[in-house]
Short mmCIF file of all heavy atoms in Angstrom, two decimals:
data_model
loop_
_atom_site.label_atom_id
_atom_site.label_comp_id
_atom_site.label_asym_id
_atom_site.label_seq_id
_atom_site.Cartn_x
_atom_site.Cartn_y
_atom_site.Cartn_z
N VAL A 1 2.80 18.58 -0.39
CA VAL A 1 3.04 17.52 0.59
C VAL A 1 1.82 16.60 0.70
O VAL A 1 1.96 15.36 0.73
CB VAL A 1 3.40 18.12 1.97
CG1 VAL A 1 3.42 17.06 3.05
CG2 VAL A 1 4.74 18.83 1.89
N ILE A 2 0.64 17.17 0.71
CA ILE A 2 -0.59 16.36 0.80
C ILE A 2 -0.75 15.51 -0.46
O ILE A 2 -1.16 14.35 -0.39
CB ILE A 2 -1.81 17.27 1.03
CG1 ILE A 2 -1.68 18.01 2.37
CG2 ILE A 2 -3.11 16.49 0.97
CD1 ILE A 2 -1.48 17.13 3.57
N SER A 3 -0.43 16.06 -1.62
CA SER A 3 -0.53 15.29 -2.87
C SER A 3 0.43 14.10 -2.84
O SER A 3 0.06 12.99 -3.26
CB SER A 3 -0.21 16.18 -4.06
OG SER A 3 -1.13 17.22 -4.16
N ILE A 4 1.61 14.31 -2.32
CA ILE A 4 2.58 13.21 -2.21
C ILE A 4 2.07 12.16 -1.24
O ILE A 4 2.20 10.96 -1.49
CB ILE A 4 3.97 13.76 -1.79
CG1 ILE A 4 4.56 14.58 -2.95
CG2 ILE A 4 4.91 12.63 -1.40
CD1 ILE A 4 5.79 15.37 -2.58
N ALA A 5 1.44 12.59 -0.15
CA ALA A 5 0.87 11.64 0.81
C ALA A 5 -0.23 10.80 0.15
O ALA A 5 -0.30 9.58 0.35
CB ALA A 5 0.32 12.37 2.03
N PHE A 6 -1.07 11.44 -0.66
CA PHE A 6 -2.13 10.69 -1.35
C PHE A 6 -1.54 9.71 -2.36
O PHE A 6 -2.04 8.58 -2.51
CB PHE A 6 -3.11 11.64 -2.04
CG PHE A 6 -4.16 12.18 -1.12
CD1 PHE A 6 -4.38 13.54 -1.05
CD2 PHE A 6 -4.93 11.35 -0.34
CE1 PHE A 6 -5.34 14.06 -0.20
CE2 PHE A 6 -5.90 11.86 0.51
CZ PHE A 6 -6.11 13.21 0.58
N ILE A 7 -0.49 10.10 -3.06
CA ILE A 7 0.17 9.18 -4.00
C ILE A 7 0.70 7.98 -3.24
O ILE A 7 0.52 6.83 -3.65
CB ILE A 7 1.31 9.91 -4.76
CG1 ILE A 7 0.74 10.92 -5.74
CG2 ILE A 7 2.21 8.91 -5.47
CD1 ILE A 7 1.77 11.84 -6.34
N TRP A 8 1.36 8.22 -2.13
CA TRP A 8 1.94 7.15 -1.32
C TRP A 8 0.85 6.21 -0.81
O TRP A 8 0.99 4.98 -0.91
CB TRP A 8 2.72 7.78 -0.18
CG TRP A 8 3.50 6.83 0.68
CD1 TRP A 8 3.95 5.58 0.35
CD2 TRP A 8 3.92 7.04 2.02
NE1 TRP A 8 4.64 5.03 1.39
CE2 TRP A 8 4.63 5.91 2.43
CE3 TRP A 8 3.78 8.11 2.90
CZ2 TRP A 8 5.17 5.79 3.71
CZ3 TRP A 8 4.33 8.00 4.16
CH2 TRP A 8 5.03 6.85 4.55
N LEU A 9 -0.23 6.76 -0.30
CA LEU A 9 -1.31 5.91 0.21
C LEU A 9 -1.98 5.13 -0.91
O LEU A 9 -2.38 3.97 -0.72
CB LEU A 9 -2.34 6.76 0.96
CG LEU A 9 -1.86 7.32 2.29
CD1 LEU A 9 -2.84 8.36 2.82
CD2 LEU A 9 -1.67 6.21 3.30
N SER A 10 -2.10 5.73 -2.09
CA SER A 10 -2.70 5.01 -3.23
C SER A 10 -1.82 3.85 -3.66
O SER A 10 -2.32 2.75 -3.94
CB SER A 10 -2.89 5.98 -4.41
OG SER A 10 -3.76 7.01 -4.06
N LEU A 11 -0.51 4.06 -3.71
CA LEU A 11 0.40 2.98 -4.05
C LEU A 11 0.34 1.85 -3.02
O LEU A 11 0.33 0.67 -3.37
CB LEU A 11 1.84 3.50 -4.15
CG LEU A 11 2.18 4.37 -5.35
CD1 LEU A 11 3.57 4.96 -5.20
CD2 LEU A 11 2.07 3.59 -6.63
N ALA A 12 0.30 2.22 -1.75
CA ALA A 12 0.23 1.21 -0.69
C ALA A 12 -1.06 0.41 -0.78
O ALA A 12 -1.06 -0.81 -0.58
CB ALA A 12 0.35 1.88 0.68
N THR A 13 -2.16 1.08 -1.12
CA THR A 13 -3.44 0.37 -1.27
C THR A 13 -3.36 -0.62 -2.43
O THR A 13 -3.83 -1.75 -2.32
CB THR A 13 -4.58 1.38 -1.51
OG1 THR A 13 -4.61 2.30 -0.41
CG2 THR A 13 -5.92 0.69 -1.61
N ALA A 14 -2.74 -0.21 -3.53
CA ALA A 14 -2.60 -1.12 -4.68
C ALA A 14 -1.75 -2.33 -4.32
O ALA A 14 -2.08 -3.47 -4.69
CB ALA A 14 -2.00 -0.36 -5.86
N VAL A 15 -0.65 -2.11 -3.60
CA VAL A 15 0.20 -3.23 -3.17
C VAL A 15 -0.56 -4.15 -2.23
O VAL A 15 -0.47 -5.38 -2.35
CB VAL A 15 1.50 -2.70 -2.50
CG1 VAL A 15 2.23 -3.79 -1.76
CG2 VAL A 15 2.40 -2.08 -3.55
N LEU A 16 -1.31 -3.58 -1.34
CA LEU A 16 -2.09 -4.37 -0.38
C LEU A 16 -3.11 -5.25 -1.11
O LEU A 16 -3.22 -6.45 -0.82
CB LEU A 16 -2.81 -3.42 0.58
CG LEU A 16 -3.41 -4.04 1.81
CD1 LEU A 16 -2.35 -4.15 2.88
CD2 LEU A 16 -4.55 -3.19 2.31
N ILE A 17 -3.79 -4.69 -2.08
CA ILE A 17 -4.79 -5.46 -2.84
C ILE A 17 -4.11 -6.53 -3.67
O ILE A 17 -4.57 -7.68 -3.73
CB ILE A 17 -5.62 -4.50 -3.71
CG1 ILE A 17 -6.51 -3.64 -2.82
CG2 ILE A 17 -6.47 -5.27 -4.72
CD1 ILE A 17 -7.16 -2.48 -3.51
N GLU A 18 -2.99 -6.19 -4.30
CA GLU A 18 -2.26 -7.18 -5.10
C GLU A 18 -1.82 -8.35 -4.23
O GLU A 18 -2.00 -9.52 -4.60
CB GLU A 18 -1.04 -6.53 -5.74
CG GLU A 18 -0.18 -7.52 -6.52
CD GLU A 18 1.16 -6.94 -6.93
OE1 GLU A 18 1.74 -6.16 -6.15
OE2 GLU A 18 1.62 -7.30 -8.02
N ARG A 19 -1.24 -8.07 -3.08
CA ARG A 19 -0.78 -9.14 -2.19
C ARG A 19 -1.95 -10.00 -1.72
O ARG A 19 -1.83 -11.22 -1.60
CB ARG A 19 -0.01 -8.56 -1.00
CG ARG A 19 1.32 -7.95 -1.42
CD ARG A 19 2.14 -7.48 -0.24
NE ARG A 19 2.55 -8.56 0.65
CZ ARG A 19 3.57 -9.38 0.41
NH1 ARG A 19 4.28 -9.25 -0.67
NH2 ARG A 19 3.88 -10.33 1.29
N SER A 20 -3.07 -9.38 -1.47
CA SER A 20 -4.24 -10.13 -1.03
C SER A 20 -4.74 -11.08 -2.12
O SER A 20 -5.03 -12.24 -1.86
CB SER A 20 -5.36 -9.16 -0.65
OG SER A 20 -6.53 -9.84 -0.33
N ILE A 21 -4.81 -10.58 -3.35
CA ILE A 21 -5.27 -11.41 -4.46
C ILE A 21 -4.31 -12.57 -4.72
O ILE A 21 -4.73 -13.68 -5.04
CB ILE A 21 -5.48 -10.56 -5.73
CG1 ILE A 21 -6.70 -9.66 -5.53
CG2 ILE A 21 -5.63 -11.42 -6.97
CD1 ILE A 21 -6.90 -8.65 -6.61
N LEU A 22 -3.01 -12.31 -4.55
CA LEU A 22 -2.03 -13.37 -4.77
C LEU A 22 -1.94 -14.34 -3.60
O LEU A 22 -1.19 -15.31 -3.66
CB LEU A 22 -0.65 -12.75 -5.04
CG LEU A 22 -0.53 -11.96 -6.34
CD1 LEU A 22 0.82 -11.27 -6.42
CD2 LEU A 22 -0.77 -12.85 -7.54
N GLY A 23 -2.68 -14.05 -2.53
CA GLY A 23 -2.68 -14.94 -1.37
C GLY A 23 -1.48 -14.78 -0.47
O GLY A 23 -1.17 -15.65 0.34
N LYS A 24 -0.78 -13.67 -0.57
CA LYS A 24 0.38 -13.41 0.27
C LYS A 24 -0.07 -12.68 1.53
O LYS A 24 -1.13 -12.07 1.56
CB LYS A 24 1.41 -12.57 -0.49
CG LYS A 24 1.99 -13.27 -1.69
CD LYS A 24 2.99 -12.40 -2.41
CE LYS A 24 3.58 -13.13 -3.60
NZ LYS A 24 4.52 -12.29 -4.34
N PRO A 25 0.76 -12.69 2.58
CA PRO A 25 0.39 -11.98 3.81
C PRO A 25 0.25 -10.48 3.56
O PRO A 25 1.01 -9.89 2.80
CB PRO A 25 1.53 -12.26 4.78
CG PRO A 25 2.45 -13.18 4.09
CD PRO A 25 2.01 -13.40 2.70
N VAL A 26 -0.73 -9.88 4.22
CA VAL A 26 -1.04 -8.48 4.01
C VAL A 26 -0.79 -7.70 5.29
O VAL A 26 -1.22 -8.10 6.37
CB VAL A 26 -2.52 -8.33 3.58
CG1 VAL A 26 -2.94 -6.89 3.53
CG2 VAL A 26 -2.76 -9.02 2.26
N ASN A 27 -0.07 -6.56 5.15
CA ASN A 27 0.18 -5.68 6.29
C ASN A 27 0.27 -4.26 5.76
O ASN A 27 1.07 -3.96 4.87
CB ASN A 27 1.49 -6.08 6.99
CG ASN A 27 1.77 -5.24 8.21
OD1 ASN A 27 1.50 -4.05 8.25
ND2 ASN A 27 2.35 -5.87 9.20
N ALA A 28 -0.56 -3.37 6.30
CA ALA A 28 -0.62 -1.99 5.81
C ALA A 28 0.71 -1.28 5.97
O ALA A 28 1.15 -0.56 5.07
CB ALA A 28 -1.72 -1.23 6.53
N PHE A 29 1.36 -1.46 7.10
CA PHE A 29 2.61 -0.75 7.34
C PHE A 29 3.75 -1.25 6.45
O PHE A 29 4.59 -0.48 6.01
CB PHE A 29 2.98 -0.82 8.83
CG PHE A 29 1.95 -0.14 9.69
CD1 PHE A 29 1.11 -0.88 10.49
CD2 PHE A 29 1.80 1.24 9.66
CE1 PHE A 29 0.14 -0.26 11.26
CE2 PHE A 29 0.85 1.88 10.43
CZ PHE A 29 0.00 1.13 11.23
N LYS A 30 3.76 -2.56 6.16
CA LYS A 30 4.75 -3.09 5.23
C LYS A 30 4.49 -2.57 3.82
O LYS A 30 5.42 -2.28 3.07
CB LYS A 30 4.75 -4.61 5.26
CG LYS A 30 5.40 -5.19 6.49
CD LYS A 30 5.47 -6.69 6.42
CE LYS A 30 6.12 -7.25 7.68
NZ LYS A 30 6.15 -8.71 7.70
N ALA A 31 3.20 -2.44 3.46
CA ALA A 31 2.86 -1.90 2.14
C ALA A 31 3.30 -0.45 2.03
O ALA A 31 3.83 -0.03 1.00
CB ALA A 31 1.36 -2.02 1.89
N LEU A 32 3.12 0.32 3.10
CA LEU A 32 3.58 1.71 3.11
C LEU A 32 5.11 1.77 2.97
O LEU A 32 5.64 2.59 2.22
CB LEU A 32 3.14 2.42 4.38
CG LEU A 32 1.67 2.82 4.45
CD1 LEU A 32 1.29 3.23 5.87
CD2 LEU A 32 1.36 3.92 3.47
N GLY A 33 5.80 0.90 3.68
CA GLY A 33 7.27 0.87 3.60
C GLY A 33 7.76 0.45 2.23
O GLY A 33 8.73 1.00 1.70
#
């Protein structure tokens, strides 16, 4: 379960960084969703 949580948080971090670089609005909870 913890490994899955880390995978999920890593993916959300990557999406957050991608959206930031592309100049799109950034929201941690939307990235998690």
Side-chain angles (χ1 to χ4, degrees):
V1 170
I2 297 305
S3 298
I4 291 169
F6 278 128
I7 289 169
W8 186 24
L9 290 169
S10 299
L11 288 172
T13 303
V15 166
L16 193 85
I17 291 168
E18 176 191 37
R19 291 185 64 80
S20 175
I21 289 172
L22 294 174
K24 296 180 179 178
V26 173
N27 182 323
F29 297 109
K30 285 184 180 177
L32 285 167

